[in-house]
Each structure stands twice: as structure tokens, then as C-alpha cells.
Amino acid sequence: MKSLVIGANGQLGHALVRSLSTLGTVVAATRDGERVGGGRCEAVDLADGAAIGSLIERVRPDVVVNAAAHTAVDKAEQEPDVAFRINAQAPAAMARACARQGIALVHYSTDYVFNGGAHRPYTEADPTDPLGVYGESKRAGERALAESGARYLVLRTAWVYGLHGHNFLRTMLRLGAERDELRVVDDQVGTPTPAWLIADTTAAILEKGIQADGIRHLTARGQCSWCDFAVAIMDEATASGILPRKPRVVPIRTSEYPTPARRPAYSVMDVGRLEQEYGLELPDWRDALSRTLAPQAAP
């Protein structure tokens, strides 16, 4: 199988290149044609729909895996045109090119398509209602794929973290080494999900073959607040020797940490349908964190 990974320098793209290599050839594509850590790869401008189509036509992969996204939630409020161009228009161009050539497309979406008002895990059938530009742009990307005629799978995920790129885990580890006390929001609930789990699960899905077009939810199991997640990170990091001491983590409310974009208060997603269709057993978020921070964990 030949896979084209678009957005290969991001935290998810980085993990996908590793995971998908077990299935065959992986062609990486980044904005400037350079890989983080060195080396050349394909270059693609996500603002240029024609260039996206030309890349797919020239590489002719068996599957396109789009890991590129505008994920700066607060910045999206100030630059909605950029957010929609990357999160909606670029995936639409990929889907059109894939439809023309009979190529499957895997794309990633977000828990931010929901408004956070639920009191039980969201299913794929629940109505979407984004609170801000980021969620709106990702929902527009989902709709573009559904209308394209391409064979596609959208995997909605949440609270993505890892040892590569910019994310909550790396921020907490940095601050935990610098400070004696951390103040972390405790009234937003979701499911921390490591990039390696998303990438490995994507590889498992592609190895079996996409069962049906549509949207599926892919996160770890369980739920916690950001504060709970921070406490777990400090526990694991001190136990494994990553941090020499454990800082105090103080819970605060969202209102004490105002941001330009509103966040869903509850964004846990039901992963049962994905597990059933592909014979998967996704780990609890705590177990996934332990594996991420294990001494033998891949960088």
C-alpha cells in the first residue's frame, strides 16, 4: 500500500509516517518540502487547490491521509479565512482529486464540532453545533468530504498530545520543570488521546480496509478534566524520572482563564462504533499516557 501523508511535520503527521510505514510505502508532504529533523519530501501549498490535485495525481497513492490542520483555536477567531482555507477548502480539494482517481481519503476532525452541552458521550449521530471558528471550519471540512463523491473516512478525535510538536503534554512538562505550582482548568471534560494511538489505529483500519464512508469517533477511552490530566502527567513524569519533583496542580474554572475562543465544557465521544466495525479495543486515557511517557517510548 502506498500512503500519501499530507501535513507530515505536525504531531499527528509525524506519528502517521511511522505507523503507516508498516503497511508499505509512505510519501510525506509538508508545506515547504522539508521534514522536521532533516530531509526532503513533497511540498504542497494548502491554499492552492490545483497544486493539491496535481500532487495526488502525480503520486497516485492508494490512500491520502490528511493530517494537516489549522489547530490554533484562539487564533482562528482572528483569522477565519485562513482556518476555513486549511480546514475546509484544502480537504475539499483533496476529496475532489481522490474522487477523480478512485483513491480513498482519511481525514481528521475534532470534538469542537459539538457545543459541549451533553451529559453523556457524543455519538456520530448527534447534531453538531460548534462554538467558534475552529469548530465551524472543521465541520465544513467534514461536509465537503461527504459531498465530494470520494471514498472517505473522517476520524473525529480530541485533546491530541504527544512527545512531538506543540501540545498540552509538552507544555505541562516544561512548566512542571520550571514552577512549583500550576493552575489548570478543571471544568472542561474530555478524553486525552496520544498521536501514536490515532496513527496506530489509522494503520489498523487501513490494513483491514475502510468498511464504510462516513464519520467515526477515535479517542482513548474514559474522561477527565484538563486539571486531572495535568495531575496524571505530573504523577507519571515524576515516577519515571522525567521530572525531579512534582509541582502542585491547582484547579481553576474556565472563567479564571479567559480565551478568545469558547471551549466545549464536555466533549467526550463514544468510540464504540469504531471499535465494533474494526475489531479494536482502545485503551483508557491513563494507560495511553503511561505508554506515551514510558522510557522506551518513541520520540
Side-chain angles (χ1 to χ4, degrees), residues 124 153 155 191 197 201 204-205 208 211 215-222 269-285:
E124 292 87 347
L153 178 63
L155 296 171
T191 307
L197 177 59
T201 303
I205 290 169
K208 294 182 178 182
Q211 300 299 304
I215 296 169
R216 300 293 182 268
H217 290 170
L218 168 53
T219 66
R221 279 197 166 272
M269 296 190 289
D270 189 324
V271 298
R273 187 173 181 183
L274 184 76
E275 288 184 320
Q276 182 178 16
E277 286 183 349
Y278 293 95
L280 301 170
E281 187 174 346
L282 295 166
D284 181 81
W285 71 268

Side-chain angles (χ1 to χ4, degrees), residues 141-291:
E142 293 180 357
R143 289 176 172 170
L145 265 65
E147 296 168 357
S148 68
R151 290 185 294 129
Y152 77 97
L153 178 63
V154 172
L155 296 171
R156 284 184 186 144
T157 191
W159 293 27
V160 182
Y161 71 91
L163 298 176
H164 176 85
H166 301 288
N167 57 74
F168 186 81
L169 171 67
R170 296 192 68 192
T171 298
M172 288 297 102
L173 291 176
R174 175 176 57 81
L175 294 178
E178 298 171 353
R179 302 179 185 179
D180 295 323
E181 181 179 288
L182 305 176
R183 294 165 56 83
V184 185
V185 169
D186 196 37
D187 57 355
Q188 294 174 25
V189 175
T191 307
T193 306
W196 65 258
L197 177 59
I198 301 169
D200 285 358
T201 303
T202 301
I205 290 169
L206 291 176
E207 186 173 25
K208 294 182 178 182
I210 295 173
Q211 300 299 304
D213 293 346
I215 296 169
R216 300 293 182 268
H217 290 170
L218 168 53
T219 66
R221 279 197 166 272
Q223 64 182 56
C224 66
S225 70
W226 286 112
C227 185
D228 295 331
F229 187 26
V231 169
I233 290 170
M234 298 309 149
D235 288 344
E236 291 285 346
T238 52
S240 62
I242 295 173
L243 292 178
R245 52 167 179 73
K246 188 187 303 182
R248 180 175 177 233
V249 180
V250 179
I252 64 171
R253 299 189 66 78
T254 297
S255 58
E256 298 177 66
Y257 188 75
T259 57
R262 293 173 61 197
R263 269 76 171 164
Y266 180 90
S267 61
V268 180
M269 296 190 289
D270 189 324
V271 298
R273 187 173 181 183
L274 184 76
E275 288 184 320
Q276 182 178 16
E277 286 183 349
Y278 293 95
L280 301 170
E281 187 174 346
L282 295 166
D284 181 81
W285 71 268
R286 288 182 178 273
D287 294 333
L289 174 62
S290 296
R291 178 173 166 183

